[in-house]
């Protein structure tokens, strides 16, 4: 219970930072200029010829440069960062060991003044869901160059994932003050969303989209706007945002998944299956593979659903083999697909590492799947203590309360879930509606 009170206190303390109208987590330092250390400026100048073009071109150019200049530690650092980004855009975790190797090579050539490699190691640790490691590397990088906004991004991201929200929000504020732009405004958006300020989150993400300097950045921000709208049940706005992302950069896959999700929400099941099938063929992220499996199950095609779920376990082994911790994702998947013991083990292991609201929610649902309802209730309350308007969190909490016999509270929470977003889950939205119908006769 002390944990709940502390998170609630964070909510009160941070609320002043999220006032609509441009103050707090939306300030800049005037013209947006920032100061670099001589080492950072030197690295930028040396690398400028090698880092223009597409991500594939960047990697190829850096590899070519390093064949000629094998002691260029700045180029090794940039190559490591490029590998991390390539893993993210392709859903191929085999790039992570490559990134680690070249970043370590860079640090071996220059340890004391190697800001870029330290940020790269922080980004790599975060991508592998080692958020404590990401924070350590970020703090080391900050000692070299405290004027670069990117380092506050990786530090703040790690603090959020570790559940250190007050620290994270202060870090994001400093990032905005130091280097306003797409990256900092996007983090403002996420912070506001976590605090339950969805209009403020939308405003910040729209600002990020409007100042995006590349089609890729604009498509990314459009997709994030679509997610914010969809998660509040606003299908028209979500569809428009996803469509804008598709039109801006057709190579960026997530907006296509967003459009498929809208199709499902509008009752076009076959169109949604076709959309997700195309998405998975291009970008086999476990999130999309699971969604396709759930759609097949909803369509009465269990064999095809099971094929997708089996693919998730193949991907699980691939991610683990490349150093990625997926305990949080595995806990939710196992709880939803018939392995309660595995779900509890994965969630417990992740809770031992970090106390974010997302881990608390996953732990609650894992315990629910294992029929440990009083324990599940404790973690469900922790998940909701920050004020995050998340329909899935409310659904989980409501189902737990129903099992505890607290019908009035269960009804309130389930009604909240479908009120936030009646299409919050392919698998669970129908369950929520059925439970509400049942409870409506007794509350």
């Amino acid at each position: 219970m002390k944990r709940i009170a502390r998170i609630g206190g964070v909510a009160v303390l941070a609320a002043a930072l999220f006032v609509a109208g441009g103050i707090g987590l939306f300030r800049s330092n005037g013209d947006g200029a920032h100061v670099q250390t001589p080492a950072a400026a030197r690295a930028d100048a040396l690398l400028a010829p090698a880092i223009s073009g597409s991500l594939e071109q960047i990697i190829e150019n850096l590899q070519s440069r390093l064949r000629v200049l094998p002691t260029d530690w700045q180029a090794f650092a940039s190559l490591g960062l490029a590998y991390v980004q390539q893993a993210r855009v392709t859903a191929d975790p085999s790039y992570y060991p490559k990134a680690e190797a070249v970043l370590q090579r860079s640090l071996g050539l220059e340890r004391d003044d190697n800001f870029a490699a330290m940020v790269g190691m922080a980004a790599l640790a975060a991508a592998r869901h080692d958020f404590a490691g990401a924070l350590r590397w970020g703090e080391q990088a900050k000692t070299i160059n405290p004027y670069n906004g990117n380092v506050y991004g990786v530090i703040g991201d790690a603090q959020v994932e570790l559940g250190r929200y007050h620290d994270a929000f202060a870090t994001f504020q400093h990032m905005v003050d130091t280097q306003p732009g797409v990256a900092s405004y996007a983090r403002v958006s996420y912070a506001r969303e976590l605090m339950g300020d969805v209009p403020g989150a939308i405003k910040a993400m729209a600002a990020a989209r409007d100042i995006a300097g590349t089609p890729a950045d604009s498509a990314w921000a459009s997709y994030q706007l679509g997610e914010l709208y969809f998660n509040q049940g606003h299908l028209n706005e979500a569809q428009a945002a996803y469509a804008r992302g598709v039109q801006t950069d057709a190579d960026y896959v997530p907006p296509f998944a967003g459009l498929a999700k809208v199709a499902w929400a509008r009752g076009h099941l076959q169109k949604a299956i076709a959309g997700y099938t195309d998405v998975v063929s291009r970008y086999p992220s476990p999130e999309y593979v699971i969604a396709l499996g759930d759609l097949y199950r909803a369509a009465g095609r269990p064999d095809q659903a099971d094929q997708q779920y089996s693919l998730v376990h193949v991907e699980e082994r691939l991610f683990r083999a490349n150093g990625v911790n997926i305990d949080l994702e595995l806990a939710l998947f196992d709880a939803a697909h018939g392995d309660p013991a595995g779900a509890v083990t994965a969630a417990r292991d992740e809770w031992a590492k970090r106390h974010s609201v997302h881990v608390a929610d996953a732990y609650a649902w894992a315990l629910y799947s294992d029929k440990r309802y009083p324990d599940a209730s404790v973690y469900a309350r922790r998940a909701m203590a920050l004020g995050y308007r998340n329909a899935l969190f409310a659904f989980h909490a409501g189902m737990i309360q129903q099992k505890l016999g607290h019908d009035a509270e269960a009804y309130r929470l389930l009604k909240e879930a479908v009120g936030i977003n009646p299409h919050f889950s392919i698998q669970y939205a129908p369950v929520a509606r059925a439970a509400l119908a049942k409870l409506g006769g007794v509350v």
Side-chain angles (χ1 to χ4, degrees):
M1 296 301 291
K2 291 181 180 178
R3 175 74 182 170
I4 298 170
R6 189 157 70 86
I7 293 176
V10 170
V12 172
L13 289 170
L17 299 176
F18 303 115
V19 179
I23 64 171
L25 272 186
F26 215 103
R27 296 194 305 266
S28 74
N29 59 342
D31 62 3
H34 66 279
V35 180
Q36 288 184 305
T37 62
R42 183 171 65 250
D44 284 354
L46 288 171
L47 288 173
I51 60 174
S52 61
S54 69
L55 188 56
E56 291 81 3
Q57 284 180 304
I58 291 169
I59 291 172
E60 184 178 344
N61 291 345
L62 288 166
Q63 289 171 335
S64 297
R65 182 183 182 92
L66 287 164
R67 282 192 287 271
V68 177
L69 300 169
T71 60
D72 186 344
W73 51 272
Q74 294 100 334
F76 274 117
S78 290
L79 182 59
L81 280 163
Y83 281 148
V84 172
Q85 183 64 7
Q86 187 75 330
R88 287 172 168 162
V89 302
T90 61
D92 182 357
S94 67
Y95 281 100
Y96 293 139
K98 296 177 184 179
E100 183 175 14
V102 297
L103 289 168
Q104 290 289 5
R105 180 72 180 275
S106 179
L107 289 165
L109 291 166
E110 172 56 57
R111 183 81 186 187
D112 295 335
D113 201 23
N114 199 339
F115 173 82
M118 290 179 184
V119 170
M121 289 296 288
L124 173 62
R128 284 172 155 173
H129 299 177
D130 172 17
F131 300 108
L135 183 58
R136 287 193 300 272
W137 280 110
E139 292 288 359
Q140 287 186 54
K142 187 177 72 171
T143 64
I144 296 174
N145 186 359
Y147 304 104
N148 186 298
N150 293 327
V151 72
Y152 295 102
V154 296
I155 289 172
D157 291 346
Q159 290 167 332
V160 163
E161 295 297 339
L162 291 168
R164 294 170 51 177
Y165 295 107
H166 187 245
D167 292 340
F169 299 155
T171 300
F172 291 155
Q173 177 68 71
H174 193 77
M175 184 184 185
V176 174
D177 292 342
T178 303
Q179 192 170 333
V182 174
S184 55
Y185 289 175
R187 286 171 169 91
V188 169
S189 177
Y190 184 47
R192 288 175 169 175
E193 183 188 11
L194 282 171
M195 299 296 296
D197 177 12
V198 178
I202 290 171
K203 179 180 178 181
M205 190 59 70
R209 182 197 61 195
D210 291 345
I211 64 170
T214 67
D217 284 349
S218 179
W220 179 86
S222 293
Y223 170 70
Q224 298 300 328
L225 270 174
E227 291 290 275
L228 284 165
Y229 284 125
F230 186 91
N231 291 339
Q232 302 302 307
H234 303 316
L235 297 186
N236 290 339
E237 293 87 345
Q239 182 172 6
Y242 294 140
R244 179 167 175 170
V246 167
Q247 293 161 4
T248 303
D249 184 357
D251 291 328
Y252 182 55
V253 177
F256 290 91
L259 290 173
K261 185 165 57 175
V262 170
W264 161 75
R266 287 185 164 148
H268 307 308
L269 188 56
Q270 296 308 317
K271 183 177 180 181
I273 289 173
Y276 270 109
T277 299
D278 177 64
V279 165
V280 168
S281 71
R282 297 171 60 192
Y283 186 73
S285 168
E287 172 189 359
Y288 302 141
V289 174
I290 293 168
L292 181 56
D294 290 346
L295 286 169
Y296 279 133
R297 177 177 282 179
R301 296 156 68 176
D303 291 343
Q304 289 169 290
D306 288 343
Q307 288 176 5
Q308 298 304 315
Y309 300 149
S310 296
L311 179 57
V312 173
H313 289 295
V314 172
E315 292 182 327
E316 171 200 343
R317 292 191 290 273
L318 178 63
F319 276 92
R320 289 196 187 280
N322 288 283
V324 182
N325 167 28
I326 59 169
D327 282 339
L328 174 60
E329 294 79 4
L330 191 62
L332 286 169
F333 178 76
D334 285 344
H337 297 91
D339 183 6
V344 170
T345 297
R348 182 178 60 241
D349 289 348
E350 195 63 13
W351 185 255
K353 301 184 187 84
R354 54 192 182 108
H355 289 182
S356 75
V357 293
H358 288 93
V359 179
D361 172 69
Y363 202 179
W365 196 235
L367 290 164
Y368 170 91
S369 72
D370 202 35
K371 300 182 180 180
R372 294 164 57 180
Y373 306 123
D375 292 338
S377 180
V378 172
Y379 288 96
R381 287 196 298 271
R382 292 185 178 193
M384 300 185 74
L386 198 59
Y388 187 25
R389 280 179 52 82
N390 185 297
L392 188 63
F393 283 21
F395 166 75
H396 289 163
M399 295 299 289
I400 292 165
Q401 291 303 310
Q402 184 184 34
K403 289 294 186 181
L404 290 170
H406 303 156
D407 289 347
E409 181 65 1
Y411 185 84
R412 183 189 70 79
L413 287 162
L414 291 169
K415 191 172 182 180
E416 178 182 338
V418 298
I420 293 171
N421 180 12
H423 316 291
F424 68 89
S425 166
I426 296 168
Q427 182 177 4
Y428 290 131
V431 177
R433 289 192 291 271
L436 274 173
K438 181 179 179 180
L439 287 166
V442 296
V443 174

